[in-house]
Each structure stands twice: as structure tokens, then as C-alpha cells.
Amino acid sequence: MKALVVDNEKGFASVLANHLKRRKIEADSVYSGAQALEYVRTFQPDVLVLELQLPDMSGLDVFRQIKAIDSTIEVILVTGNGSFDMVIACMQLGAFDYLMKPIDLNQLLDTITGAFENRMLVLKERSQTSL
């Protein structure tokens, strides 16, 4: 499983990525929307943990562009500022889930696992229909 953490709080993002690595999840972190869009092409994560408040673009814009790159990447939204309109828009566009900061780490790990399992089902279904 591969996870990419996108958050403008560098300390939060890197600590979270390191915690995921200790749980045997291949993880990395970036700190802006532009970095996320560039990095997702090479890292190819299964799950994206995406802060909605980024310094260079809105989380909604990042979400849309990530889904255009690979619609099977599962996106978990996180926010401390509770822009519920943006959360609702992302959920309507297919976000897997959203969590409010401060994040309960066990809940996040369960959510990441669920998102990964969902992506694997989607990929399996697609491979079976293409036969």
C-alpha cells in the first residue's frame, strides 16, 4: 500500500508519513497542491490524505486534478478549518471520506485501510471487465 500525505503543515505531514511507514505502509509527504500533482505521477499512491487548505491552490482543485490523473486513487480529506462546502463538493465528486483535525491516528489508519481495500476492488473489477 502506498499513501501520500498532502498538507501545508510540514511537521504534521512528515510525522504522519513517518508513522505510516512504521505501520509498513509506503508513505511520503508533500506540502502544496503543485507538489502533490507533480509527485502523484511518479509515486503513484493508492491513497491520498489531502488537506483542503493549501498555500497555492484549493483542495477541491487538487482533488479534481488528482482524479483526472488517476480516478482510482482514493482521497481522504482532512481539515482543521472545516470548510464544509468544500468537503461536501469533494464528497459528491467521489472522495472516500473526510476527517477533522486533530486526527485520531487509529481512525485515520482504519480509513486508509478501507480506502486501499476499496481501490483494490475497483481495480479488480476493471481488470475483469476488460477481459
Side-chain angles (χ1 to χ4, degrees):
M1 177 187 335
K2 292 169 81 172
L4 181 62
V5 179
V6 183
D7 199 298
N8 59 333
E9 296 177 37
K10 292 180 180 181
F12 171 82
S14 61
V15 166
L16 181 54
N18 286 332
H19 189 79
L20 295 175
K21 289 175 188 175
R22 287 194 300 274
R23 303 280 190 179
K24 307 295 186 230
I25 297 170
E26 189 176 343
D28 212 339
S29 58
V30 295
Y31 315 112
S32 72
Q35 288 176 320
L37 294 171
E38 181 180 323
Y39 199 70
V40 81
R41 296 176 194 277
T42 56
F43 185 64
Q44 299 178 328
D46 298 301
V47 179
L48 193 79
V49 178
L50 175 64
E51 164 64 56
L52 290 175
Q53 305 294 321
L54 296 170
D56 58 341
M57 57 192 348
S58 80
L60 182 58
D61 289 339
V62 174
F63 177 84
R64 285 185 177 133
Q65 292 181 52
I66 293 292
K67 286 296 193 173
I69 292 168
D70 183 346
S71 64
T72 67
I73 295 173
E74 292 292 354
V75 179
I76 299 166
L77 309 169
V78 296
T79 187
N81 298 8
S83 170
F84 288 109
D85 290 340
M86 197 179 303
V87 168
I88 289 168
C90 289
M91 294 300 289
Q92 289 173 336
L93 291 171
F96 183 78
D97 204 350
Y98 79 95
L99 302 170
M100 296 294 294
K101 289 180 179 176
I103 293 175
D104 176 277
L105 200 49
N106 290 325
Q107 181 184 12
L108 178 60
L109 290 169
D110 289 345
T111 304
I112 289 172
T113 300
F116 175 73
E117 290 170 354
N118 194 64
R119 181 170 194 247
M120 293 300 101
L121 285 172
V122 168
L123 291 174
K124 182 178 179 183
E125 288 171 4
R126 284 188 181 181
S127 70
Q128 290 175 345
T129 58
S130 67
L131 296 177

